PDB file of all heavy atoms in Angstrom:
ATOM      1  N   THR V  97      24.894  13.186  17.439  1.00 96.00           N
ATOM      2  CA  THR V  97      23.825  12.204  17.247  1.00 96.00           C
ATOM      3  C   THR V  97      24.396  10.867  16.798  1.00 96.00           C
ATOM      4  O   THR V  97      23.987   9.805  17.282  1.00 96.00           O
ATOM      5  CB  THR V  97      22.814  12.716  16.195  1.00 96.00           C
ATOM      6  OG1 THR V  97      22.308  13.985  16.604  1.00 96.00           O
ATOM      7  CG2 THR V  97      21.654  11.743  16.037  1.00 96.00           C
ATOM      8  N   PHE V  98      25.370  10.922  15.865  1.00 96.00           N
ATOM      9  CA  PHE V  98      26.025   9.698  15.391  1.00 96.00           C
ATOM     10  C   PHE V  98      26.667   8.934  16.542  1.00 96.00           C
ATOM     11  O   PHE V  98      26.479   7.716  16.694  1.00 96.00           O
ATOM     12  CB  PHE V  98      27.078  10.040  14.332  1.00 96.00           C
ATOM     13  CG  PHE V  98      28.131   8.981  14.145  1.00 96.00           C
ATOM     14  CD1 PHE V  98      27.802   7.747  13.607  1.00 96.00           C
ATOM     15  CD2 PHE V  98      29.448   9.206  14.535  1.00 96.00           C
ATOM     16  CE1 PHE V  98      28.763   6.750  13.437  1.00 96.00           C
ATOM     17  CE2 PHE V  98      30.413   8.228  14.374  1.00 96.00           C
ATOM     18  CZ  PHE V  98      30.078   6.987  13.824  1.00 96.00           C
ATOM     19  N   LEU V  99      27.429   9.644  17.366  1.00 95.00           N
ATOM     20  CA  LEU V  99      28.136   8.995  18.472  1.00 95.00           C
ATOM     21  C   LEU V  99      27.171   8.456  19.529  1.00 95.00           C
ATOM     22  O   LEU V  99      27.419   7.403  20.128  1.00 95.00           O
ATOM     23  CB  LEU V  99      29.119   9.980  19.106  1.00 95.00           C
ATOM     24  CG  LEU V  99      30.305  10.371  18.209  1.00 95.00           C
ATOM     25  CD1 LEU V  99      31.039  11.574  18.787  1.00 95.00           C
ATOM     26  CD2 LEU V  99      31.251   9.197  18.032  1.00 95.00           C
ATOM     27  N   PHE V 100      26.058   9.163  19.743  1.00 95.00           N
ATOM     28  CA  PHE V 100      25.057   8.679  20.700  1.00 95.00           C
ATOM     29  C   PHE V 100      24.379   7.412  20.177  1.00 95.00           C
ATOM     30  O   PHE V 100      24.253   6.415  20.901  1.00 95.00           O
ATOM     31  CB  PHE V 100      24.014   9.763  20.963  1.00 95.00           C
ATOM     32  CG  PHE V 100      22.904   9.312  21.874  1.00 95.00           C
ATOM     33  CD1 PHE V 100      23.109   9.217  23.242  1.00 95.00           C
ATOM     34  CD2 PHE V 100      21.656   8.965  21.364  1.00 95.00           C
ATOM     35  CE1 PHE V 100      22.087   8.779  24.087  1.00 95.00           C
ATOM     36  CE2 PHE V 100      20.636   8.534  22.192  1.00 95.00           C
ATOM     37  CZ  PHE V 100      20.850   8.445  23.562  1.00 95.00           C
ATOM     38  N   LEU V 101      23.947   7.439  18.920  1.00 95.00           N
ATOM     39  CA  LEU V 101      23.276   6.271  18.336  1.00 95.00           C
ATOM     40  C   LEU V 101      24.233   5.082  18.212  1.00 95.00           C
ATOM     41  O   LEU V 101      23.812   3.930  18.293  1.00 95.00           O
ATOM     42  CB  LEU V 101      22.702   6.626  16.958  1.00 95.00           C
ATOM     43  CG  LEU V 101      21.559   7.654  16.938  1.00 95.00           C
ATOM     44  CD1 LEU V 101      21.139   7.943  15.509  1.00 95.00           C
ATOM     45  CD2 LEU V 101      20.365   7.155  17.752  1.00 95.00           C
ATOM     46  N   ASP V 102      25.517   5.389  18.021  1.00 93.00           N
ATOM     47  CA  ASP V 102      26.522   4.329  17.885  1.00 93.00           C
ATOM     48  C   ASP V 102      26.629   3.497  19.161  1.00 93.00           C
ATOM     49  O   ASP V 102      27.002   2.320  19.116  1.00 93.00           O
ATOM     50  CB  ASP V 102      27.873   4.951  17.539  1.00 93.00           C
ATOM     51  CG  ASP V 102      28.819   3.943  16.893  1.00 93.00           C
ATOM     52  OD1 ASP V 102      28.374   3.240  15.971  1.00 93.00           O
ATOM     53  OD2 ASP V 102      29.993   3.879  17.294  1.00 93.00           O
ATOM     54  N   GLN V 103      26.293   4.101  20.285  1.00 93.00           N
ATOM     55  CA  GLN V 103      26.305   3.365  21.554  1.00 93.00           C
ATOM     56  C   GLN V 103      25.198   2.304  21.569  1.00 93.00           C
ATOM     57  O   GLN V 103      25.381   1.206  22.102  1.00 93.00           O
ATOM     58  CB  GLN V 103      26.114   4.334  22.725  1.00 93.00           C
ATOM     59  CG  GLN V 103      27.268   5.308  22.865  1.00 93.00           C
ATOM     60  CD  GLN V 103      27.087   6.261  24.027  1.00 93.00           C
ATOM     61  OE1 GLN V 103      28.027   6.608  24.725  1.00 93.00           O
ATOM     62  NE2 GLN V 103      25.874   6.713  24.253  1.00 93.00           N
ATOM     63  N   ILE V 104      24.045   2.631  20.967  1.00 93.00           N
ATOM     64  CA  ILE V 104      22.941   1.667  20.879  1.00 93.00           C
ATOM     65  C   ILE V 104      23.334   0.527  19.941  1.00 93.00           C
ATOM     66  O   ILE V 104      23.004  -0.643  20.198  1.00 93.00           O
ATOM     67  CB  ILE V 104      21.651   2.367  20.391  1.00 93.00           C
ATOM     68  CG1 ILE V 104      21.281   3.499  21.349  1.00 93.00           C
ATOM     69  CG2 ILE V 104      20.504   1.365  20.268  1.00 93.00           C
ATOM     70  CD1 ILE V 104      20.107   4.350  20.896  1.00 93.00           C
ATOM     71  N   VAL V 105      24.062   0.874  18.859  1.00 93.00           N
ATOM     72  CA  VAL V 105      24.560  -0.154  17.942  1.00 93.00           C
ATOM     73  C   VAL V 105      25.490  -1.109  18.685  1.00 93.00           C
ATOM     74  O   VAL V 105      25.419  -2.329  18.518  1.00 93.00           O
ATOM     75  CB  VAL V 105      25.300   0.492  16.749  1.00 93.00           C
ATOM     76  CG1 VAL V 105      25.905  -0.569  15.839  1.00 93.00           C
ATOM     77  CG2 VAL V 105      24.350   1.376  15.942  1.00 93.00           C
ATOM     78  N   TRP V 106      26.360  -0.547  19.532  1.00 91.00           N
ATOM     79  CA  TRP V 106      27.273  -1.389  20.327  1.00 91.00           C
ATOM     80  C   TRP V 106      26.493  -2.305  21.257  1.00 91.00           C
ATOM     81  O   TRP V 106      26.830  -3.494  21.388  1.00 91.00           O
ATOM     82  CB  TRP V 106      28.219  -0.491  21.137  1.00 91.00           C
ATOM     83  CG  TRP V 106      29.064  -1.252  22.108  1.00 91.00           C
ATOM     84  CD1 TRP V 106      30.100  -2.095  21.812  1.00 91.00           C
ATOM     85  CD2 TRP V 106      28.917  -1.292  23.533  1.00 91.00           C
ATOM     86  NE1 TRP V 106      30.618  -2.645  22.965  1.00 91.00           N
ATOM     87  CE2 TRP V 106      29.908  -2.168  24.034  1.00 91.00           C
ATOM     88  CE3 TRP V 106      28.049  -0.665  24.423  1.00 91.00           C
ATOM     89  CZ2 TRP V 106      30.043  -2.428  25.389  1.00 91.00           C
ATOM     90  CZ3 TRP V 106      28.197  -0.924  25.782  1.00 91.00           C
ATOM     91  CH2 TRP V 106      29.182  -1.798  26.246  1.00 91.00           C
ATOM     92  N   LEU V 107      25.447  -1.768  21.888  1.00 92.00           N
ATOM     93  CA  LEU V 107      24.612  -2.588  22.774  1.00 92.00           C
ATOM     94  C   LEU V 107      23.966  -3.741  22.005  1.00 92.00           C
ATOM     95  O   LEU V 107      23.862  -4.865  22.510  1.00 92.00           O
ATOM     96  CB  LEU V 107      23.528  -1.728  23.428  1.00 92.00           C
ATOM     97  CG  LEU V 107      23.999  -0.692  24.457  1.00 92.00           C
ATOM     98  CD1 LEU V 107      22.836   0.197  24.871  1.00 92.00           C
ATOM     99  CD2 LEU V 107      24.600  -1.372  25.675  1.00 92.00           C
ATOM    100  N   GLY V 108      23.543  -3.453  20.759  1.00 91.00           N
ATOM    101  CA  GLY V 108      22.932  -4.483  19.928  1.00 91.00           C
ATOM    102  C   GLY V 108      23.923  -5.551  19.522  1.00 91.00           C
ATOM    103  O   GLY V 108      23.628  -6.756  19.599  1.00 91.00           O
ATOM    104  N   ARG V 109      25.122  -5.159  19.116  1.00 88.00           N
ATOM    105  CA  ARG V 109      26.127  -6.130  18.671  1.00 88.00           C
ATOM    106  C   ARG V 109      26.733  -6.905  19.832  1.00 88.00           C
ATOM    107  O   ARG V 109      27.282  -7.985  19.643  1.00 88.00           O
ATOM    108  CB  ARG V 109      27.224  -5.412  17.878  1.00 88.00           C
ATOM    109  CG  ARG V 109      26.722  -4.875  16.554  1.00 88.00           C
ATOM    110  CD  ARG V 109      27.820  -4.247  15.742  1.00 88.00           C
ATOM    111  NE  ARG V 109      27.299  -3.653  14.511  1.00 88.00           N
ATOM    112  CZ  ARG V 109      28.029  -2.973  13.647  1.00 88.00           C
ATOM    113  NH1 ARG V 109      29.323  -2.790  13.878  1.00 88.00           N
ATOM    114  NH2 ARG V 109      27.486  -2.460  12.555  1.00 88.00           N
ATOM    115  N   SER V 110      26.639  -6.328  21.017  1.00 87.00           N
ATOM    116  CA  SER V 110      27.142  -7.023  22.213  1.00 87.00           C
ATOM    117  C   SER V 110      26.111  -7.994  22.781  1.00 87.00           C
ATOM    118  O   SER V 110      26.429  -8.771  23.683  1.00 87.00           O
ATOM    119  CB  SER V 110      27.536  -6.008  23.296  1.00 87.00           C
ATOM    120  OG  SER V 110      28.518  -5.133  22.816  1.00 87.00           O
ATOM    121  N   GLY V 111      24.875  -7.912  22.274  1.00 87.00           N
ATOM    122  CA  GLY V 111      23.825  -8.810  22.749  1.00 87.00           C
ATOM    123  C   GLY V 111      23.037  -8.275  23.923  1.00 87.00           C
ATOM    124  O   GLY V 111      22.145  -8.951  24.440  1.00 87.00           O
ATOM    125  N   ILE V 112      23.337  -7.048  24.352  1.00 89.00           N
ATOM    126  CA  ILE V 112      22.621  -6.453  25.491  1.00 89.00           C
ATOM    127  C   ILE V 112      21.251  -5.958  25.032  1.00 89.00           C
ATOM    128  O   ILE V 112      20.240  -6.160  25.708  1.00 89.00           O
ATOM    129  CB  ILE V 112      23.452  -5.298  26.102  1.00 89.00           C
ATOM    130  CG1 ILE V 112      24.806  -5.830  26.601  1.00 89.00           C
ATOM    131  CG2 ILE V 112      22.686  -4.627  27.250  1.00 89.00           C
ATOM    132  CD1 ILE V 112      25.791  -4.760  27.003  1.00 89.00           C
ATOM    133  N   TYR V 113      21.249  -5.290  23.865  1.00 87.00           N
ATOM    134  CA  TYR V 113      19.989  -4.823  23.268  1.00 87.00           C
ATOM    135  C   TYR V 113      19.524  -5.908  22.300  1.00 87.00           C
ATOM    136  O   TYR V 113      20.212  -6.218  21.324  1.00 87.00           O
ATOM    137  CB  TYR V 113      20.222  -3.497  22.543  1.00 87.00           C
ATOM    138  CG  TYR V 113      18.991  -2.874  21.938  1.00 87.00           C
ATOM    139  CD1 TYR V 113      17.949  -2.418  22.725  1.00 87.00           C
ATOM    140  CD2 TYR V 113      18.889  -2.727  20.554  1.00 87.00           C
ATOM    141  CE1 TYR V 113      16.824  -1.831  22.159  1.00 87.00           C
ATOM    142  CE2 TYR V 113      17.781  -2.134  19.983  1.00 87.00           C
ATOM    143  CZ  TYR V 113      16.744  -1.694  20.785  1.00 87.00           C
ATOM    144  OH  TYR V 113      15.626  -1.125  20.222  1.00 87.00           O
ATOM    145  N   LYS V 114      18.378  -6.489  22.556  1.00 87.00           N
ATOM    146  CA  LYS V 114      17.944  -7.704  21.866  1.00 87.00           C
ATOM    147  C   LYS V 114      17.273  -7.467  20.514  1.00 87.00           C
ATOM    148  O   LYS V 114      17.217  -8.384  19.690  1.00 87.00           O
ATOM    149  CB  LYS V 114      16.981  -8.503  22.759  1.00 87.00           C
ATOM    150  CG  LYS V 114      17.566  -8.906  24.114  1.00 87.00           C
ATOM    151  CD  LYS V 114      18.774  -9.816  23.959  1.00 87.00           C
ATOM    152  CE  LYS V 114      19.326 -10.253  25.322  1.00 87.00           C
ATOM    153  NZ  LYS V 114      20.541 -11.073  25.187  1.00 87.00           N
TER     154      LYS V 114
END
Side-chain angles (χ1 to χ4, degrees):
T97 304
F98 159 67
L99 292 167
F100 177 77
L101 294 178
D102 201 47
Q103 295 180 142
I104 302 174
V105 176
W106 173 71
L107 291 172
R109 292 184 184 176
S110 301
I112 300 170
Y113 183 65
K114 302 298 182 183

